[in-house]
Amino acid sequence: MGAWPFLMGASDYSDYRVVVCPEFIESSGRAQAFRNLVETCLDGEADEAVRSRHIADDRIGPCSLFYRVSRVRKTDGSSAYDAAGRPLLRVDGVVVEREANCGRLDPQEADRLIERALPTLDSSFAAFSAAKRKIPATLSKQLVPEEKNGGPPRAPRPTPSPLILFLSAALVVSVLGNAILLWRDSGWAQQIAAMNEELTNAHKRIEELTQRLREAKK
Amino acid sequence: MIGGQELFFQVCVLGTRGSGKTVFLSALHNQLSVLDSRGDNFFVELDSPADANLLRKIYGQISNPDVDWPPGTARTKEFEFRCLHTTGAKTVPLFRFLYRDYPGGLLEDDCDQGGDYIREATKSAHALLVLIDGQKVLQSLEGQTPKGASLDDDLNTLIPLLNRGANRPVQFLLTKWDILHEDHSLQAVKDELLKNHNFAKFVEQRANLKLPVHLIPVSAVGMDFARFDKNDMRMKKVKGGRCKPFNVELAIGMTITDQIQLLSVHKKSNVGRLLIWITRAMRGSLGVLATSLEISQYVINLPSFVPVEGICRILKDASTSIQVNEDWLRSKIEEEARNIRDQKSAVQSVMKIQALRRKAFETHFPESQLVVLGEA
């Protein structure tokens, strides 16, 4: 499943236009049809939610667009406006090939792909925003699949030892049990005071056990 | 339908980015969505409820002083308005008009599909409305450098497009009049526009052709709703402001009366090029008839019951013999509205009302007439 970044936006000097267009769409001669479709993306709210559109086109094959509409931000984080006072928006997204019988991408996965495309999209948008004259759309290449990315391997999450897990569980059960008993036997203030005490004791016991465990490991 | 035909009027609105095309359209829709018996005496409906909702949503965002202006338009869209009159318990169709909305950036796209769209729209239009961005006029009058295109840039983009619509009625709408009217007169604006070589040449050319041209000050939000922030160089809403559109619907009335006036003056010479009323067959009922009518779409004459001479008399006489003011206008409109009995009389009266409103406007803003009909 291939994914290509795309971007549409407006600037002080230019009306809404496709700023980044997938290379394969441009070379298939369907850039205008793509633009027509991307224009409809601005109908939604600029809430940064991931949305999708689907294309069934003979020349470019079945594809899906996953995109987010957001406000253009100035360097201080505030919204950017055009001279007429209208907020400037941008549409960041990816075009994803839909292979036969391939299920649709879930929004989290699509969001991750858009995040990966952002550095490329941001640099193209910066060039577009600064240009006082019309500049041609940047042609985007397929995103390199994540596993072949060559980045450093992620450190595995540390797993707590079974002994610590068992002791923690026992303590939680004990505190809860005592709390229930207290709840049954005494008034509110007493219950809270007793629970506080129990919690303090439990905390001390955890510290003791952790200390012992460390010593044992040594 | 009047005798199986319906008057259909294509209006091409030309305006650069941010000039207010969509705001104007949604204000027009809002303004005309309810019949005003003391005003135009017709109301509009859109065939598509989704389109109507879209315009209502846009207008809702425009008129709410606590939210931002709606973002710019990104795509082209056509809205077909049906103009209707309610007489007693019956609603009768009067005419239709088509309004095309598009991103203003398309005007600068001479090479791609966007440019083709504008060329085609200009060519097939019966009347051209040109939006001049009042904000840029203000900046030009006050010697400020705008962000992006200037007034001169805009005029140099817009005026050459008018060549494609030669001999058609053209009205210039000066948008955002609310930010201009306190410090600048319409005459000052007119003088500023005439400093642009292309604009001056166009006005001269229209005068040679004896074709009327107006400069109509409009505001889609009214006089107390928005201001131009000179520090941020952008339009901002005024806290607690209320929208009260000004002169918005006048543009439609002007295009109708322009056609009628032209018919009376240019009847024998080049009426074929000047007057273009489309008649359409009942939609979807008779394919062959519809096709033949599409081929001969540029019908020269208005239906015979349209009171061409009477309308011209209103426009001519009022300026010399009577005092045109609000009271005069109101009493004349009431008089005309009383004459409405059926569909034909509704068309006649609504057209006369447009002429009355035009007369009142011309009297109030004499400097709006860039070229008076028949002036050489």
Side-chain angles (χ1 to χ4, degrees):
Chain A
M1 185 177 63
W4 287 259
F6 76 90
L7 168 70
M8 185 168 92
S11 72
D12 280 344
Y13 309 104
S14 175
D15 217 339
Y16 285 97
R17 60 175 62 250
V18 173
V19 180
V20 176
C21 178
E23 193 175 34
F24 80 99
I25 288 178
E26 177 73 29
S27 59
S28 67
R30 303 294 286 154
Q32 187 58 46
F34 178 70
R35 185 199 150 96
N36 294 345
L37 182 69
V38 176
E39 282 166 358
T40 66
C41 297
L42 272 173
D43 291 351
E45 300 291 318
D47 55 6
E48 303 190 22
V50 175
R51 292 188 171 85
S52 58
R53 291 268 195 283
H54 305 287
I55 309 174
D57 186 283
D58 290 344
R59 277 156 72 182
I60 54 176
C63 293
S64 295
L65 268 64
F66 292 90
Y67 63 94
R68 298 188 307 214
V69 182
S70 58
R71 286 181 172 226
V72 175
R73 301 276 170 196
K74 294 196 278 195
T75 45
D76 64 0
S78 61
S79 293
Y81 295 89
D82 67 10
R86 305 173 296 184
L88 293 172
L89 306 181
R90 58 184 274 180
V91 181
D92 298 279
V94 286
V95 178
V96 177
E97 267 181 333
R98 258 188 298 138
E99 287 151 17
N101 302 321
C102 171
R104 285 179 182 173
L105 214 61
D106 69 68
Q108 286 84 4
E109 213 176 327
D111 198 39
R112 228 173 21 247
L113 279 173
I114 297 169
E115 282 296 320
R116 281 182 56 210
L118 270 186
T120 316
L121 299 178
D122 281 342
S123 68
S124 295
F125 192 76
F128 165 73
S129 296
K132 293 192 175 177
R133 295 200 177 278
K134 186 181 169 183
I135 54 169
T138 307
L139 301 180
S140 66
K141 296 197 183 307
Q142 185 180 354
L143 285 174
V144 179
E146 211 159 15
E147 57 273 18
K148 294 176 193 169
N149 211 8
R154 276 184 189 172
R157 276 188 185 173
T159 320
S161 75
L163 181 64
I164 289 188
L165 280 175
F166 173 74
L167 287 171
S168 305
L171 275 170
V172 169
V173 170
S174 147
V175 169
L176 280 174
N178 282 328
I180 290 165
L181 286 173
L182 275 169
W183 173 270
R184 209 179 55 186
D185 297 338
S186 54
W188 271 103
Q190 284 170 321
Q191 282 176 36
I192 291 166
M195 279 171 76
N196 264 339
E197 200 183 330
E198 278 293 317
L199 279 169
T200 314
N201 289 339
H203 185 66
K204 278 180 190 165
R205 278 153 73 187
I206 288 173
E207 278 183 348
E208 277 171 28
L209 285 166
T210 312
Q211 186 61 34
R212 274 190 216 162
L213 196 68
R214 278 187 198 134
E215 282 166 7
K217 273 187 180 172
K218 279 177 189 172
Chain B
M1 303 284 174
I2 304 160
Q5 297 170 351
E6 193 170 358
L7 299 173
F8 183 65
F9 202 57
Q10 291 194 55
V11 182
C12 179
V13 180
L14 293 172
T16 51
R17 184 186 179 210
S19 58
K21 294 179 293 299
T22 311
V23 172
F24 175 77
L25 167 67
S26 63
L28 185 70
H29 176 248
N30 180 68
Q31 195 77 350
L32 294 176
S33 58
V34 178
L35 187 141
D36 179 4
S37 58
R38 292 180 156 200
D40 290 292
N41 267 276
F42 70 85
F43 65 99
V44 295
E45 276 183 3
L46 286 161
D47 280 339
S48 154
D51 287 351
N53 281 337
L54 175 68
L55 291 185
R56 271 194 285 272
K57 189 180 160 200
I58 293 172
Y59 190 73
Q61 193 171 348
I62 290 164
S63 59
N64 183 345
D66 299 324
V67 300
D68 274 331
W69 301 103
T73 304
R75 61 178 170 140
T76 56
K77 194 158 175 47
E78 296 187 349
F79 296 87
E80 195 171 316
F81 289 86
R82 299 175 66 213
C83 300
L84 307 154
H85 177 85
T86 302
T87 166
K90 212 172 152 196
T91 297
V92 292
L94 303 177
F95 43 85
R96 289 173 178 256
F97 66 92
L98 181 76
Y99 187 111
R100 293 184 170 96
D101 196 25
Y102 55 88
L106 286 192
L107 295 187
E108 293 143 34
D109 286 353
D110 258 351
C111 313
D112 62 25
Q113 204 175 316
D116 291 343
Y117 178 84
I118 297 298
R119 272 189 292 277
E120 196 45 49
T122 319
K123 234 161 55 181
S124 59
H126 304 136
L128 301 172
L129 296 179
V130 187
L131 301 195
I132 295 179
D133 190 342
Q135 181 183 323
K136 288 180 184 169
V137 173
L138 178 76
Q139 289 175 304
S140 182
L141 283 165
E142 298 187 353
Q144 295 166 353
T145 309
K147 273 202 283 187
S150 66
L151 175 65
D152 264 342
D153 295 332
D154 278 6
L155 292 174
N156 294 339
T157 301
L158 289 166
I159 304 297
L161 294 171
L162 301 180
N163 289 327
R164 297 171 193 150
N167 296 345
R168 259 160 262 188
V170 173
Q171 303 291 355
F172 289 98
L173 304 187
L174 174 67
T175 63
K176 305 175 192 174
W177 175 240
D178 48 306
I179 59 167
L180 277 159
H181 79 111
E182 277 183 357
D183 297 326
H184 303 282
S185 65
L186 192 59
Q187 184 61 48
V189 172
K190 186 170 155 180
D191 293 343
E192 189 68 15
L193 293 173
L194 286 166
K195 284 180 191 167
N196 179 280
H197 191 53
N198 282 334
F199 186 83
K201 274 196 295 188
F202 176 76
V203 172
E204 193 186 327
Q205 175 207 338
R206 302 294 284 196
N208 290 338
L209 289 167
K210 301 181 181 179
L211 294 168
V213 185
H214 284 83
L215 176 66
I216 308 169
V218 298
S219 170
V221 294
M223 301 307 165
D224 304 308
F225 189 80
R227 65 186 176 87
F228 178 63
D229 187 317
K230 288 175 186 170
N231 295 322
D232 281 0
M233 302 277 273
R234 66 179 166 97
M235 293 294 291
K236 287 184 177 174
K237 293 181 180 177
V238 173
K239 271 254 172 275
R242 280 183 78 89
C243 253
K244 206 178 165 196
F246 174 76
N247 273 353
V248 166
E249 72 281 22
L250 187 69
I252 299 300
M254 292 292 258
T255 57
I256 293 170
T257 47
D258 263 351
Q259 296 282 359
I260 293 167
Q261 272 200 313
L262 289 169
L263 177 62
S264 73
V265 172
H266 294 270
K267 209 170 192 169
K268 286 177 184 168
S269 54
N270 48 358
V271 65
R273 288 183 298 152
L274 295 168
L275 179 76
I276 308 161
W277 280 95
I278 288 182
T279 51
R280 269 193 180 170
M282 284 174 278
R283 282 158 186 254
S285 55
L286 292 166
V288 177
L289 179 59
T291 308
S292 68
L293 280 165
E294 284 300 328
I295 292 166
S296 59
Q297 59 178 310
Y298 297 109
V299 174
I300 308 304
N301 288 308
L302 286 166
S304 56
F305 62 83
V306 171
V308 175
E309 294 309 319
I311 287 170
C312 292
R313 220 171 17 250
I314 290 172
L315 293 170
K316 201 174 172 186
D317 290 351
S319 60
T320 53
S321 58
I322 52 170
Q323 197 188 353
V324 178
N325 55 30
E326 282 295 313
D327 291 338
W328 171 84
L329 182 63
R330 197 173 303 122
S331 69
K332 288 299 234 180
I333 288 176
E334 282 170 4
E335 196 182 308
E336 279 304 327
R338 275 198 296 273
N339 292 333
I340 300 177
R341 295 171 311 280
D342 52 18
Q343 189 182 27
K344 282 185 183 177
S345 58
V347 172
Q348 288 168 340
S349 289
V350 165
M351 286 188 170
K352 278 188 183 171
I353 287 169
Q354 300 313 311
L356 292 166
R357 296 199 66 191
R358 176 180 182 145
K359 191 68 243 166
F361 166 73
E362 285 174 351
T363 308
H364 192 60
F365 288 100
E367 64 278 40
S368 71
Q369 300 191 62
L370 295 172
V371 179
V372 180
L373 184 78
E375 178 188 84

